[in-house]
Amino acid sequence: MLPEQAAAQSYLWLIVVLPLLGAAVNGFVGRKLGKANVALIAIGVMVGAFALSCVAFASAAQGQTLHFRGDTWFRVTGPDGRSLVNVTWGFLVDRLSGTLALIVTGVGTLIHVYSASYMSHEDDFGYARFFAYLNLFVAAMMTLVLGDSLVMTFVGWEGVGLCSYLLIGFWYTDQQKAYCGRKAFVTNRIGDFGFLIGLFACLSIFGTVEYGQMASAVHGVSRETLLTAGLFSGKTLGWALTFATLGLFVGCTGKSAQLPLYVWLPDAMAGPTPVSALIHAATMVTAGVYLVARTSFLFALAPASMAVVMLTGALTAVVAAGIAFAQNDIKKVLAYSTVSQLGFMFIGVGAGVYFAGVMHLVTHAFFKACLFLGAGSVMHGMHEDTDIRNMGGLWKKMPHTAKTFLIATLAITGIVPLSGFFSKDAILAGALFSENHALPWAGKLAYALGTLAAAGTAFYMMRLFALTFAGKPRTPAAEHAHESSPVMHVPLWALAILSVVALVLGLPKFEVFGHWGELFGEFMHPVFAQATELLGIEEHVALWPFAVAWGIALVFGWTAWQMYAGAWRAAPERLARGFPALYRFTLDKFRVDELYDLVLIRPIRGIAWALWRFVDAFLIDGVLVNGSARLAGFLGRVFRVVQNGDAQRYAAVMAVAAAVILWSVLRVGGR
């Protein structure tokens, strides 16, 4: 990079530093500034970061790749002093990271504005602490997105994990909420260990973990080459890449809440609602999808890993959708919806239709953030009641919230012409026609499971809307519910509008002879060109899967409306009475938490208790520490008998000792 180019791109680090500066100011002196100034600082740095992200995205959209390389961060040298590993810090903006930067800073800014009113009931210290955590999270997320290597991504990865813990357990005086924060932190550490394994595996294979250098290293490598290449310490490159990519995906299952590490996300709803919207809908949980897309050139060379990604996403989408059927907490329904939609994204990147997975990430950020903030508005109007069975009739009480919630519901359901239809159904179509050389049937199975999950999405989301907003108020709290302030419902309308206009990303670009391709797909083509060339993906996609998915959304959405707001209102209660065990099993979230408690938590606690009793209490405290003290005390008591300061006793002991010595000498001499 030329010096003038590096200088021109040096502003990239400001996208990270601005939110970090806001976190520092509000964290250290925010309590003394007053709520208005705290909000002004927090929102101001977000606006600045968004403006810089727009500048960077504009350059990336024109085909430029911005790469600001900093100095050496750390170096590993061999015995001869030769550098073995040289890791620099730097930021990379192309069309993928530029798009994510816009999402994080843009949606993040709207959520900060919403939070200014939502968190106004907190005292000055709590208010400043909340915005400090929120700004810190954005700084960490931008480090993750803009990092030019796996190491930089991992720094942001751990940063968002820390901020997630702080924000989920924000009301730490409540033991249950504090437990939810710890649960999220520990569960994510399991996935992060897999990330580290994948990182070190890539370092062993390539000698670097910078994305550009790794992509150049595998440039020109084909699947046929992988079967014969004798690289990586005598093992084939294919096996090495499979091991590395599976390690990275283990990290993705933790951060993006996939089977079997999804259990932390529903409990993360214990945090304030803006936290749910920012971290667990629009940004942090999509980090795993971004990582797979960012390293698509590696996954494309490991078909077994891609099959695992695709099938894990499909199974997660179905399981989470099934659990959402019977949940009665408005935020829990949206939480399991998030888990399910993340499954769709992994189906997309696992099937090789990377643009569709990323497009669903973008559209999902808009309508899911709108849904979560809408849920917060409902809770605000219902005096923090989250049980949808206690609501009803809120359409007239909260018109702005109800209308934006409906738009977002239709978007996530996949109704034409909203954005969710183009992104989610493009994933299903891509999975149906994908070809995986490790598991040829994986795409068909993922399509079937994804279609089932899409049907579930239409049902549980329409059930949620009907029970919350349709009919008549079912409790006094619903009867006296009120609309939120403009500071809260203006961001709702902005997100709802984005949920609609984002359909432009998926519109087909018609050309001669009926050729068509999504605009977003063509926009992202340079980023994924290397991977799609390896996979041999066809650009022509049939239209009938889109029509099938739309029909399914209409049928199951209409069924849910009839069951919860229409002529079939008695059906849910009859089904619950007719299948009580199944209903209870679904209501109890398939008892996965109980299974983990039985299989993992209790045995680990038992082992920990045994180790504590034997190693800590007996060996360390009992033998080494207390035992040493007792031995010293015993020896002290023994020697104290003759070392008590009595001169006559000393003389007697000396006389006896002299007699014994003399007797011993005479006896030996007599022999």
Side-chain angles (χ1 to χ4, degrees):
M1 183 183 297
L2 297 175
E4 58 269 19
Q5 291 177 316
Q9 297 173 14
S10 61
Y11 69 88
L12 295 178
W13 64 272
L14 285 173
I15 302 176
V16 176
V17 169
L18 281 177
L20 190 62
L21 182 63
V25 173
N26 283 332
F28 288 111
V29 298
R31 72 183 74 182
K32 301 178 181 179
L33 299 178
K35 294 181 180 180
N37 289 325
V38 166
L40 180 62
I41 292 171
I43 297 172
V45 296
M46 287 300 301
V47 171
F50 177 66
L52 292 174
S53 298
C54 290
V55 174
F57 177 79
S59 298
Q62 295 174 1
Q64 300 181 40
T65 297
L66 309 181
H67 189 187
F68 176 71
R69 190 190 300 272
D71 297 328
T72 297
W73 186 6
F74 61 87
R75 180 184 293 110
V76 179
T77 58
D80 57 354
R82 185 170 56 89
S83 178
L84 299 178
V85 178
N86 184 40
V87 176
T88 60
W89 66 273
F91 298 114
L92 173 71
V93 176
D94 57 6
R95 294 184 177 185
L96 175 61
S97 57
T99 300
L100 267 292
L102 284 184
I103 296 299
V104 174
T105 56
V107 176
T109 300
L110 293 174
I111 293 173
H112 276 68
V113 173
Y114 177 95
S115 302
S117 175
Y118 187 88
M119 299 298 293
S120 59
H121 62 280
E122 292 288 329
D123 58 22
D124 289 346
F125 173 67
Y127 196 80
R129 183 166 60 93
F130 177 80
F131 278 102
Y133 292 166
L134 219 56
N135 279 160
L136 183 62
F137 167 81
V138 173
M141 189 66 196
M142 292 309 301
T143 303
L144 187 158
V145 168
L146 300 181
D148 67 344
S149 67
L150 283 173
V151 172
M152 284 296 294
T153 297
F154 186 73
V155 172
W157 195 275
E158 291 298 289
V160 295
L162 170 64
C163 295
S164 175
Y165 163 74
L166 295 173
L167 287 166
I168 295 170
F170 178 76
W171 291 308
Y172 56 87
T173 54
D174 186 320
Q175 292 298 316
Q176 182 60 33
K177 296 182 187 299
Y179 167 79
C180 291
R182 293 197 303 271
K183 182 177 181 179
F185 189 81
V186 172
T187 305
N188 274 274
R189 296 292 74 71
I190 298 171
D192 295 349
F193 182 69
F195 189 117
L196 281 175
I197 291 175
L199 189 154
F200 287 123
C202 289
L203 194 59
S204 299
I205 297 170
F206 303 108
T208 180
V209 287
E210 187 176 313
Y211 296 124
Q213 294 178 3
M214 289 192 294
S216 298
V218 298
H219 181 70
V221 176
S222 64
R223 288 189 298 272
E224 292 74 16
T225 306
L226 296 181
L227 300 177
T228 57
L231 304 176
F232 189 57
S233 304
K235 299 181 180 179
T236 65
L237 179 61
W239 282 108
L241 287 175
T242 299
F243 177 78
T245 50
L246 285 178
L248 294 177
F249 181 62
V250 170
C252 297
T253 60
K255 198 67 69 182
S256 293
Q258 297 296 285
L259 287 172
L261 300 179
Y262 74 93
V263 291
W264 68 271
L265 184 59
D267 288 341
M269 299 303 107
T273 298
V275 174
S276 304
L278 179 63
I279 296 182
H280 308 120
T283 53
M284 171 183 158
V285 291
T286 60
V289 181
Y290 171 76
L291 180 62
V292 176
R294 181 83 279 168
T295 56
S296 58
F297 54 88
L298 297 181
F299 278 88
L301 292 170
S305 297
M306 292 193 66
V308 171
V309 171
M310 180 165 48
L311 293 178
T312 300
L315 288 171
T316 303
V318 171
V319 170
I323 295 175
F325 272 25
Q327 300 306 304
N328 297 312
D329 187 300
I330 187 171
K331 291 177 68 176
K332 283 291 180 68
V333 176
L334 296 178
Y336 282 107
S337 171
T338 298
V339 176
S340 183
Q341 298 305 307
L342 289 167
F344 278 101
M345 298 176 205
F346 278 109
I347 294 175
V349 295
V353 282
Y354 300 102
F355 82 91
V358 175
M359 182 165 63
H360 196 54
L361 184 157
V362 173
T363 59
H364 178 266
F366 297 144
F367 53 66
K368 185 53 66 65
C370 183
L371 289 169
F372 267 115
L373 295 185
S377 180
V378 169
M379 292 166 56
H380 185 76
M382 288 284 297
H383 306 289
E384 300 306 314
D385 190 354
T386 61
D387 194 330
I388 57 178
R389 294 171 297 183
N390 298 333
M391 300 177 187
L394 297 185
W395 180 273
K396 295 181 179 179
K397 305 290 183 179
M398 310 178 70
H400 292 289
T401 302
K403 292 174 183 177
T404 53
F405 204 95
L406 177 60
I407 293 172
T409 298
L410 295 177
I412 194 175
T413 299
I415 300 299
V416 177
L418 281 80
S419 58
F421 166 79
F422 294 96
S423 59
K424 184 167 63 177
D425 296 347
I427 289 173
L428 295 177
L432 178 61
F433 296 106
S434 67
E435 295 182 4
N436 189 286
H437 295 271
L439 292 174
W441 44 266
K444 304 294 189 296
L445 179 58
Y447 172 76
L449 294 175
T451 301
L452 185 61
T457 301
F459 185 88
Y460 68 71
M461 286 305 303
M462 190 53 66
R463 168 184 177 266
L464 174 64
F465 180 82
L467 289 176
T468 304
F469 296 101
K472 298 180 180 180
R474 291 185 288 274
T475 61
E479 182 67 41
H480 297 93
H482 58 86
E483 183 61 274
S484 303
S485 66
V487 177
M488 292 176 66
H489 68 242
V490 167
L492 289 177
W493 275 112
L495 291 167
I497 293 171
L498 288 171
S499 300
V500 177
V501 299
L503 67 90
V504 175
L505 300 176
L507 286 177
K509 184 178 180 181
F510 291 99
E511 297 181 4
V512 293
F513 304 114
H515 172 72
W516 68 283
E518 288 83 354
L519 293 177
F520 192 74
E522 292 193 0
F523 179 74
M524 284 291 174
H525 178 73
V527 179
F528 303 125
Q530 185 174 350
T532 53
E533 182 179 353
L534 284 167
L535 296 172
I537 296 176
E538 295 289 338
E539 294 184 358
H540 302 272
V541 179
L543 290 175
W544 65 263
F546 288 78
V548 170
W550 181 49
I552 289 174
L554 288 175
V555 170
F556 281 87
W558 177 81
T559 301
W561 180 266
Q562 292 298 318
M563 291 178 64
Y564 293 96
W568 305 345
R569 294 187 182 182
E573 187 175 352
R574 290 177 181 174
L575 289 172
R577 288 200 306 265
F579 303 95
L582 178 60
Y583 172 74
R584 191 68 200 176
F585 184 64
T586 307
L587 185 63
D588 291 342
K589 300 168 289 187
F590 296 163
R591 297 181 186 144
V592 175
D593 285 308
E594 289 79 359
L595 177 64
Y596 281 1
D597 184 69
L598 179 65
V599 175
L600 293 175
I601 297 176
R602 290 185 184 181
I604 291 174
R605 282 180 175 172
I607 294 171
W609 184 87
L611 291 174
W612 167 66
R613 292 297 302 169
F614 179 73
V615 177
D616 191 54
F618 176 71
L619 287 181
I620 297 177
D621 290 343
V623 176
L624 295 178
V625 179
N626 296 331
S628 300
R630 292 192 182 100
L631 177 62
F634 171 75
L635 294 176
R637 288 193 297 272
V638 170
F639 289 114
R640 192 184 305 137
V641 175
V642 294
Q643 297 291 334
N644 61 354
D646 188 344
Q648 293 180 343
R649 183 174 296 184
Y650 291 169
V653 171
M654 293 172 63
V656 171
V660 171
I661 294 171
L662 181 62
W663 176 79
S664 299
V665 171
L666 292 175
R667 185 176 180 183
V668 173
R671 292 179 179 177

